[in-house]
Amino acid sequence: MARMIEELEDETGAIIKYKRHANGRGLVSPSARVAETAFIDATAYVEAHARVGLDSWVGAGSWIDKGATVGDRTFVGSNVHVGEGCVVGSGVRIGSNTKLGADVMVGNGVRVDRDQQIAAGTVIEPKGGATSRAALAAMSRPVRPQARRAA
């Protein structure tokens, strides 16, 4: 089944192309990688080169910015902005009306309350754990399952 491409104009007048994601029908850039099991609300956007992992949820009016990564089984509430280049780990819960600035790193299993503004470059680690930026980046990249070979 071919996905229809929609063209929208941004604030500068440039034309941006999006496709509708199968689950939830949200607008997804053709260069973004979104797991088939992810849910993208019909009013949510996933920008160029962003990634959304397996069984993740992106709520109404939310925006996953350019190059951001949302790990597996992560919940992004309504009206959330995940800033450009952010890395959000697996099993994370981000409450509604929250804004993550550019290049924020959120460790696996972290809970971010609703109505928060997280400054650019902030690293939020799991409780009781010290994690490097490189380790967070490696942990949260969605991994595609390998095709099984016949024996």
Side-chain angles (χ1 to χ4, degrees), residues 7-149:
E7 295 181 350
L8 298 174
E9 190 174 314
D10 72 3
E11 64 278 354
T12 66
I15 300 296
I16 309 293
K17 294 183 179 187
Y18 294 96
K19 60 185 177 183
R20 291 276 180 188
H21 185 58
N23 291 334
R25 308 274 303 142
L27 291 170
V28 176
S29 168
S31 67
R33 297 204 175 221
V34 178
E36 288 184 21
T37 59
F39 175 83
I40 310 296
D41 186 86
T43 60
Y45 291 87
V46 179
E47 294 291 346
H49 308 292
R51 296 174 179 216
V52 178
L54 298 168
D55 302 321
S56 290
W57 177 283
V58 178
S62 290
W63 173 24
I64 309 301
D65 213 332
K66 296 174 191 155
T69 298
V70 174
D72 298 339
R73 296 168 311 284
T74 291
F75 176 84
V76 176
S78 300
N79 301 311
V80 171
H81 178 215
V82 176
E84 188 170 342
C86 285
V87 176
V88 177
S90 296
V92 172
R93 184 172 183 85
I94 301 174
S96 297
N97 304 312
T98 293
K99 181 177 181 179
L100 303 181
D103 300 316
V104 168
M105 309 281 273
V106 181
N108 294 337
V110 168
R111 302 290 183 254
V112 178
D113 287 338
R114 64 180 306 141
D115 302 315
Q116 301 298 309
Q117 287 205 10
I118 310 298
T122 300
V123 176
I124 304 173
E125 299 172 348
K127 188 173 183 177
T131 310
S132 71
R133 292 176 70 89
L136 278 173
M139 286 188 299
S140 63
R141 284 205 171 85
V143 177
R144 293 195 177 279
Q146 297 293 324
R148 293 183 186 210
R149 292 183 180 163

